[in-house]
Amino acid sequence: VRDSEPVVRQACTEILDAVMDAGRCDFVNDVAAHLPMIMIGDALGVRPEHRADLLRWSDDMLKGLATEATPEQLEAAGNAFVEYTLYATDVIADRRAAPRDDLMSILVDAEVEGDRLTDEEIIQESLLILIGGDETTRHVISGGVHQLLVHRDQWDRLGAEPDLRPTAVEEMLRWVTPIKNMVRTATRDVVLGDQQIREGDELMLLYPSANRDDAVFTNPFAFDSTRTPNEHVAFGFGTHFCLGNSLARLELRVMFEQLLTRLPDLELVSGDEPAYRPANFVSGYESMKVRFTPVAPLAPPRPALA
């Protein structure tokens, strides 16, 4: 992950360059959505010209999980899964014939005591990596920006005091908690609080609730970019601790460093409320209009996902 920092920095530069001279943009769709897709796409071995398709498939499948998904969104989610399956099937065949230095090749070649993943399992696992690496980080970027712009004093302080930014990233993770729940099965009888849990019981872990626990966090319903300690569980814990936590933290740190430096007067567009998509699994802002003083790009502009 440390070795990938120059790539993250270049991606952030290109993403912001694409909007700098316009003076306004949809922060979610023009900025936040692109960085994690570039990084997770590269890790999976996705060719740059296919990133836009992966972003669309990821979006459509997650919209199908929204709590009030329309029939059209459900149909789009199904179509997206079919299209991704066809795409991934071709990629799997290619990696079997000519392995590369990417996660798809690792999944294709992985073997434990003679047991290998089937094509269906590779498709499902790569989809989990895609959505887990894309949708979650984008929501923390957009949700973090929203909170900092609502609490303008915190935005200004982070602009003036760079050393506080890693602490702010942890508060963004706590506050947004993009993964809303996971279900686990109890392996033994146990009493949790005053509740008897039996071996075999299914339990739903509600991460946003844990990250608002007043037994752990002082004033938990306040966004505080200087909060420390901050023992959040946005990445889960134990055996299932998020595989991509270090990459997510790097992406967040570099993106906010460039936002605070290059767009110091960034602000929400008054009267145009951000659109939030509630969902049962992963949720966050779908759209958030922002404006800023136009600035010339640092490099010749090119689409971030082209």
Side-chain angles (χ1 to χ4, degrees), residues 164-179:
L164 294 178
R165 293 170 191 171
T167 300
V169 164
E170 297 306 313
E171 179 68 348
M172 295 173 202
L173 288 162
R174 182 193 77 88
W175 183 264
V176 175
T177 315
I179 297 291

Side-chain angles (χ1 to χ4, degrees), residues 185-201 203:
T185 302
T187 60
R188 59 183 174 85
D189 292 353
V190 66
V191 175
L192 180 63
D194 59 356
Q195 180 68 43
Q196 176 67 57
I197 297 170
R198 300 295 183 186
E199 178 182 350
D201 284 352
L203 311 174

Side-chain angles (χ1 to χ4, degrees), residues 36 44 66 101 203 222:
L44 286 166
D101 184 18
L203 311 174

Side-chain angles (χ1 to χ4, degrees), residues 71-129:
E72 292 77 16
Q73 288 174 322
L74 293 172
E75 181 179 2
N79 291 337
F81 179 73
V82 171
E83 291 178 32
Y84 178 78
T85 298
L86 293 172
Y87 166 81
T89 299
D90 288 342
V91 172
I92 291 168
D94 175 78
R95 297 306 190 272
R96 282 211 171 93
R100 304 179 190 176
D101 184 18
D102 58 34
L103 286 174
M104 287 297 279
S105 295
I106 291 173
L107 293 173
V108 168
D109 292 337
E111 181 178 334
V112 177
E113 298 180 353
D115 189 20
R116 304 175 71 93
L117 295 172
T118 66
D119 284 9
E120 176 63 21
E121 288 169 336
I122 294 171
I123 290 169
Q124 295 289 348
E125 187 70 15
S126 64
L127 185 59
L128 176 63
I129 293 171

Side-chain angles (χ1 to χ4, degrees), residues 177 179-182 204-211 233:
T177 315
I179 297 291
K180 301 308 177 188
N181 70 77
M182 285 285 181
M204 179 174 282
L205 287 72
L206 299 173
Y207 294 104
S209 178
N211 282 338
V233 291

Side-chain angles (χ1 to χ4, degrees), residues 36-37 40 44 54 57-59 61-62 65 84 125-139 179 281-282:
M37 178 53 69
I40 200 62
L44 286 166
L54 261 71
W57 295 332
S58 177
D59 281 351
M61 280 186 267
L62 262 294
L65 295 178
Y84 178 78
E125 187 70 15
S126 64
L127 185 59
L128 176 63
I129 293 171
L130 169 66
I131 293 177
D134 167 39
E135 295 284 340
T136 54
T137 305
R138 69 185 282 186
H139 290 322
I179 297 291
F281 183 48
V282 181

